[in-house]
Amino acid sequence: MLTYAWCNYNYRPIRAKNLTWTTLIYLSTVLWFLGNIPANGHVRLVGAWSHCKLWIIWFRVLFCFVFASMTIVRFYALERVFNQKKPFTVWSSLISGCVVVVLNVVYCLVNQLISGSLTTEYFQELEVCNVTQAFRIAALTFQWVLWAGVGVLFFRLRNIQSSFNEFWESMAIFAVIIALLIESSVTNLHYKYYILQKSRRIEKTVMDMAAANLVIWLFIGYPVFMSIFNRRDYEQRWLERLAKDRPANVYKNENNSYTKMNEIGGGYDNKHQMNSLDMSTLGLNNGHHPFADQHPLNIESALNGHSAFDANALPEDFRHNLNIQTPVMNAPPMFASNYLDSTHGGRHVL
C-alpha cells in the first residue's frame, strides 16, 4: 500500500498524509518484528540469535519506541502547522527525527551498559533470553508515557480543518494501541515465561504486528482506496472541502512538509501573504471552488460552445460580469468580439 501511495504521490489527498513519516513508521514496524522473532522464541537461539541484548534492546524495544515516537512527530507536524500556525519545514522534520533517535538510543544505551542480570541475558540450557521483571516494567512504562503523549496530540488536533482532520482515524489508532498496550502489560507481567508456551508467543507476535500494520492502514488506507475506486470525484470533493475550510496552512511540496496558505479576505491573519501555494493548482479561486456542484466535462463543453449555452448551467460566479483572462482551450465562438467589451485593464468582460 505504501508503494502504491508513493507511486501516486501527486494525488493530493494522498500527498496530504505526510508519506515520509508514515513510511518511517512502517520501517520501524519491520525492524520491531525482526526483534520479535528471537525475543519471542520463534527461532533456536544459537549463534547470532543468542545475542539477547542486541535483539531485545536494539531491535524489539528500540523500534517499538521509535514506532510510538515517530507517530508523535507525525501528529506534532499537524499540531505545529494548524494550531501553532508555524511551518513544519525540512529542518523541523530533521530536528524532530534527531530528537526521536537520540532519546530512544540513550534509553537503550543505558540498558546495554547495565548488567544482563538486571535486563536480559541468555540461558543456554533452555536456549531462551530471560528478561527481568524490572526491565519489563520500565519498558512498558515508557511505552505508556509515549502513547499518552500521542493521545494529547490527538485531542489537540480534533478541531483542525476537515481536509486534514484525522480525528476518527486517530481515535481508531488510539483504541488499537491501548488494546495492544493492555495485552502487552498482561502478557509480560502475568505470564512471565510465555515464550515457553507456543500459543502465547505466537499470539504476542501476531498481536504486535497486526496492530502496527493496522495503524499504517488507518493513516493512509482511505485516500489510497478512494484513489483506486473513485479517484476523480474524491479529489474534487477534497478540494471543495479545502476551499470551504479556507485553511491557514496546507500540506505541500518537496522542500517543506507543510506550507503556509492564508485565507484571502478574512478569517485568519490577513497581514500574511498567500505566497507559498498557487491556488490555481488546486482548482480554487480566492478560496472558492467555482465548479463545486458540476462535472468538469459539462462545464468545459458549455464554455467552449460545444453544447447549447445555458447561463443557469454555469456556476454563479460565471453568470455575471466574468473577467475572462485565459479561455479554456482556444477562443470559443460564444466569446466572439460582439460579446466582449474592453476594460481599462486590457481584459474583456462578458
Side-chain angles (χ1 to χ4, degrees), residues 141-180:
T141 301
F142 195 24
Q143 284 189 66
W144 278 100
V145 170
L146 288 173
W147 284 104
V150 175
V152 171
L153 288 173
F154 286 167
F155 181 78
R156 288 182 56 82
L157 293 169
R158 69 193 185 280
N159 292 324
I160 69 172
Q161 289 86 350
S162 62
S163 303
F164 297 89
N165 194 306
E166 296 181 342
F167 179 74
W168 296 112
E169 295 94 327
S170 300
M171 290 298 98
I173 290 170
F174 200 59
V176 168
I177 294 301
I178 292 300
L180 179 64

Side-chain angles (χ1 to χ4, degrees), residues 22 28 37 50 130 152 182 186 201 206 215 232 257-258 337:
T22 305
S28 68
I37 293 175
S50 64
N130 180 54
V152 171
I182 292 173
V186 172
R201 62 176 184 255
V206 170
V215 167
R232 188 169 185 174
S257 294
Y258 292 89
S337 59

Side-chain angles (χ1 to χ4, degrees), residues 274-317:
M274 195 180 69
N275 54 11
S276 299
L277 182 69
D278 180 1
M279 293 292 281
S280 65
T281 63
L282 294 180
L284 306 177
N285 183 16
N286 293 339
H288 173 65
H289 196 303
F291 303 108
D293 301 317
Q294 301 187 55
H295 194 284
L297 294 180
N298 294 336
I299 296 163
E300 183 179 59
S301 178
L303 289 176
N304 283 297
H306 299 314
S307 63
F309 175 70
D310 180 6
N312 292 324
L314 293 173
E316 186 175 353
D317 298 313

Side-chain angles (χ1 to χ4, degrees), residues 9 32 193 217 318:
Y9 182 74
W32 175 13
Y193 303 106
W217 276 90
F318 275 21

Side-chain angles (χ1 to χ4, degrees), residues 94-123:
L94 290 175
I95 292 172
S96 300
C98 289
V99 170
V100 166
V101 171
V102 169
L103 288 178
N104 289 297
V105 166
V106 166
Y107 177 91
C108 292
L109 186 59
V110 170
N111 283 283
Q112 175 69 37
L113 297 176
I114 294 176
S115 171
S117 60
L118 299 175
T119 55
T120 179
E121 58 185 350
Y122 181 61
F123 271 50

